[in-house]
Amino acid sequence: METIRRTKIVDLLKRRDFGAMVNVKGWVRTRRGSKQVNFIALNDGSTINNVQVVVDLANFDEDMLKQITTGACISVNGELVESVGAGQAAEIQAREIEVLGVCDNTYPLQKKGHSMEFLREIAHLRPRTNTFGAVFRIRHNMAIAIHKFFHERGFFYFHTPLITASDCEGAGQMFQVTTMNLYDLKKDENGSIIYDNDFFGKQASLTVSGQLEGELAATALGAIYTFGPTFRAENSNTPRHLAEFWMIEPEVAFNDINDNMDLAEDFIKYCVQWALDNCYDDVKFLNDMFDKGLIERLQGVLKESFVRLPYTEGIKILEEAVAKGHKFEFPVYWGVDLASEHERYLVEEHFKRPVILTDYPKEIKAFYMKQNEDGKTVRAMDVLFPKIGEIIGGSEREADYDKLLTRIQELNIPMKDMWWYLDTRKYGSCPHSGFGLGFERLLLFVTGMANIRDVIPFPRTPRNAEF
């Protein structure tokens, strides 16, 4: 074959220099046609759109043509021509074809619809489908948008550790990291494991959040964000939970709860706008194929301010709904940690737009949140979204050393793990706030996918660590 520089299909489809000789390489989606002429739909992953390759059968070797099956990888030299058929402006009249990789009929992605459950069983091949190509291109774009948003506002990207030795709150939900022989664990007379010979000389786990370390950084660099994998060993087999997921956690010195809410709203609107501006073809495909209201919902989030609602008011609204006959699976009362159905009622039925719920009871929130004067509530804020429920959780942090110490003692959190965190309140403490956004929850919203396992390439869930 003559050597012509490859053009990506995303760029080729924009070209109008008809008559030019071009080269494309990619995977065959479909091949159809008559005895004289065939049409190959070729995709190289750069765009949701395929390029049509027109093959005049008389000009090609029959044995080679037999190898051009769904899934095969080919290189095509040909002439860029104006398309007569509907659906594309440009196509390629093939002059030379080389088969780079054959694909036999055991290939599981033959031309027919596949269920999401089936595609999870072949997660190593599912990026080749239109759906997952779209999802993973959007995932990349959202990561770019996140870095761009914070960089443009003077935040610093701060890397917090993935392995941590603090077993503060919720140690049961942490994955342990060890080099010890699990068949021969040394124990003391009380039956407790001795970690002296372990790699770190103490119990270590995978991180559930970079927040505490992020706070340290904010009290030095002013405004930081983390963006990395986090791990939760919760046995939650739901469409909204993963054992390994990515988190974005900004932390900002001198921000109070109101600044924190402003930041969360600006941030999420920026990301949604970015998706509409930069991934429109992919978003439109997902809208048309899976979720007819997707684009409308994305645009809806952009056009209105989020409702800011104290928890106590939210409970009143939910209690009124119950009084009027609305059925919730879980009970509603002041002090309850709201279930997803409650959050979605407020967003989808009552206000019909995103809601930021504030001032939660301190009992259901973490020890580091700033307490309000009423002694009962804390300056927490959760951003609730249609179809998802909570997408962001954050708070103004407790900056007072004595109040934080008292709360740590009340909750029996081991001091050996918290001394370094308390130091930030001892040495030049300042008001500061932050939040966490689960990256996959954002992607669920932007893609319209129904299950969180379908917005991460290789989902890690209870009893599942394939590929």
Side-chain angles (χ1 to χ4, degrees):
M1 260 179 91
E2 185 192 345
T3 305
I4 302 172
R5 195 151 171 230
R6 174 187 167 220
T7 305
K8 284 188 176 178
I9 291 171
V10 67
D11 300 322
L12 186 95
L13 293 173
K14 293 176 190 149
R15 284 174 58 171
R16 296 293 176 267
D17 53 336
F18 301 123
M21 286 301 287
V22 295
N23 170 265
V24 289
K25 295 180 170 72
W27 293 270
V28 176
R29 286 281 201 255
T30 58
R31 177 181 160 197
R32 58 186 178 80
S34 62
K35 286 196 167 72
Q36 285 81 41
V37 66
N38 272 197
F39 301 97
I40 295 169
L42 200 66
N43 189 284
D44 65 1
S46 61
T47 165
I48 192 77
N49 302 306
N50 305 324
V51 68
Q52 178 161 286
V53 178
V54 182
V55 183
D56 189 343
L57 299 186
N59 301 337
F60 291 92
D61 173 60
E62 202 177 323
D63 287 339
M64 186 275 295
L65 289 172
K66 279 190 186 131
Q67 298 182 324
I68 302 175
T69 56
T70 294
C73 183
I74 62 173
S75 173
V76 180
N77 284 346
E79 185 185 338
L80 185 69
V81 295
E82 198 164 353
S83 181
V84 283
Q88 67 274 327
E91 60 188 25
I92 296 171
Q93 194 75 44
R95 297 280 180 267
E96 297 178 286
I97 300 177
E98 182 185 354
V99 177
L100 302 176
V102 295
C103 185
D104 67 24
N105 62 6
T106 63
Y107 181 55
L109 297 174
Q110 299 299 333
K111 185 176 164 47
K112 62 176 195 299
H114 299 285
S115 73
M116 290 295 143
E117 289 74 19
F118 171 71
L119 291 173
R120 277 175 224 139
E121 292 168 20
I122 52 163
H124 61 309
L125 295 175
R126 68 179 185 168
R128 291 208 208 171
T129 62
N130 286 334
T131 301
F132 285 93
V135 167
F136 297 142
R137 281 187 294 272
I138 292 170
R139 188 178 170 106
H140 156 79
N141 265 284
M142 288 296 90
I144 294 293
I146 285 160
H147 286 301
K148 213 166 148 47
F149 174 87
F150 287 117
H151 178 67
E152 285 169 1
R153 285 156 185 76
F155 283 64
F156 301 110
Y157 180 30
F158 190 75
H159 295 119
T160 55
L162 295 185
I163 299 175
T164 161
S166 79
D167 60 354
C168 95
E169 49 159 8
Q173 296 181 342
M174 295 176 96
F175 288 101
Q176 280 202 47
V177 175
T178 182
T179 55
M180 295 194 295
N181 176 356
L182 299 181
Y183 295 102
D184 184 25
L185 290 174
K186 294 187 173 44
K187 299 185 177 174
D188 63 17
E189 59 273 18
N190 302 324
S192 300
I193 295 166
I194 300 169
Y195 286 94
D196 297 358
N197 296 334
D198 206 353
F199 188 90
F200 297 107
K202 56 164 89 169
Q203 189 176 353
S205 304
L206 294 175
T207 183
V208 294
S209 159
Q211 182 203 312
L212 303 189
E213 294 90 348
E215 285 185 56
L216 304 182
T219 55
L221 300 168
I224 65 96
Y225 68 105
T226 75
F227 185 2
T230 45
F231 307 87
R232 306 252 166 115
E234 284 180 83
N235 198 359
S236 298
N237 245 322
T238 81
R240 311 185 328 137
H241 286 88
L242 290 165
E244 174 186 295
F245 57 98
W246 288 63
M247 281 259 275
I248 298 97
E249 297 178 294
E251 201 68 41
V252 194
F254 317 116
N255 266 14
D256 67 12
I257 185 76
N258 292 311
D259 302 317
N260 205 29
M261 291 193 276
D262 292 343
L263 181 67
E265 183 167 342
D266 290 348
F267 169 54
I268 212 151
K269 284 181 170 174
Y270 182 96
C271 291
V272 169
Q273 187 68 61
W274 184 274
L276 288 170
D277 291 347
N278 296 277
C279 317
Y280 192 77
D281 284 355
D282 287 323
V283 170
K284 177 143 181 31
F285 171 82
L286 294 168
N287 180 91
D288 296 348
M289 296 298 288
F290 289 99
D291 182 348
K292 299 284 189 278
L294 176 61
I295 289 174
E296 202 182 326
R297 213 161 43 247
L298 293 175
Q299 288 167 339
V301 159
L302 295 174
K303 60 174 191 272
E304 292 188 277
S305 295
F306 298 179
V307 176
R308 299 188 179 187
L309 181 76
Y311 170 93
T312 303
E313 303 285 309
I315 290 291
K316 273 191 200 136
I317 291 169
L318 292 168
E319 285 175 337
E320 280 164 21
V322 170
K324 286 180 187 152
H326 190 91
K327 296 268 187 290
F328 290 114
E329 192 185 336
F330 297 100
V332 176
Y333 55 90
W334 197 95
V336 74
D337 199 357
L338 294 182
S340 171
E341 57 170 349
H342 304 140
E343 296 170 339
R344 289 181 58 180
Y345 177 84
L346 291 170
V347 173
E348 294 168 23
E349 318 237 349
H350 190 82
F351 290 105
K352 299 198 167 25
R353 56 187 166 133
V355 172
I356 308 182
L357 212 53
T358 62
D359 303 301
Y360 280 81
K362 70 177 185 185
E363 275 65 39
I364 58 173
K365 287 293 179 187
F367 72 94
Y368 48 71
M369 297 191 179
K370 187 172 181 66
Q371 295 187 38
N372 284 319
E373 315 319 38
D374 62 14
K376 292 195 301 189
T377 60
V378 289
R379 286 187 200 170
M381 59 130 229
D382 286 358
V383 182
L384 313 178
F385 255 44
K387 286 198 91 167
I388 310 252
E390 185 203 326
I391 194 167
I392 282 179
S395 69
E396 186 174 336
R397 316 306 189 191
E398 184 54 76
D400 181 285
Y401 180 90
D402 293 323
K403 282 186 181 169
L404 187 61
L405 182 62
T406 305
R407 196 78 187 110
I408 286 172
Q409 287 164 342
E410 280 172 11
L411 294 168
N412 295 320
I413 295 167
M415 273 317 293
K416 67 176 176 27
D417 297 319
M418 296 317 296
W419 63 272
W420 55 270
Y421 182 65
L422 278 160
D423 271 1
T424 54
R425 277 56 172 184
K426 203 156 76 180
Y427 306 130
S429 184
C430 68
H432 62 286
S433 298
F435 60 79
L437 166 74
F439 188 42
E440 285 74 21
R441 295 243 176 124
L442 172 66
L443 286 164
L444 275 182
F445 182 72
V446 172
T447 61
M449 299 302 277
N451 193 312
I452 203 157
R453 294 169 177 85
D454 299 328
V455 293
I456 192 167
F458 302 103
R460 298 291 177 250
T461 51
R463 311 199 73 77
N464 178 55
E466 294 303 315
F467 312 106

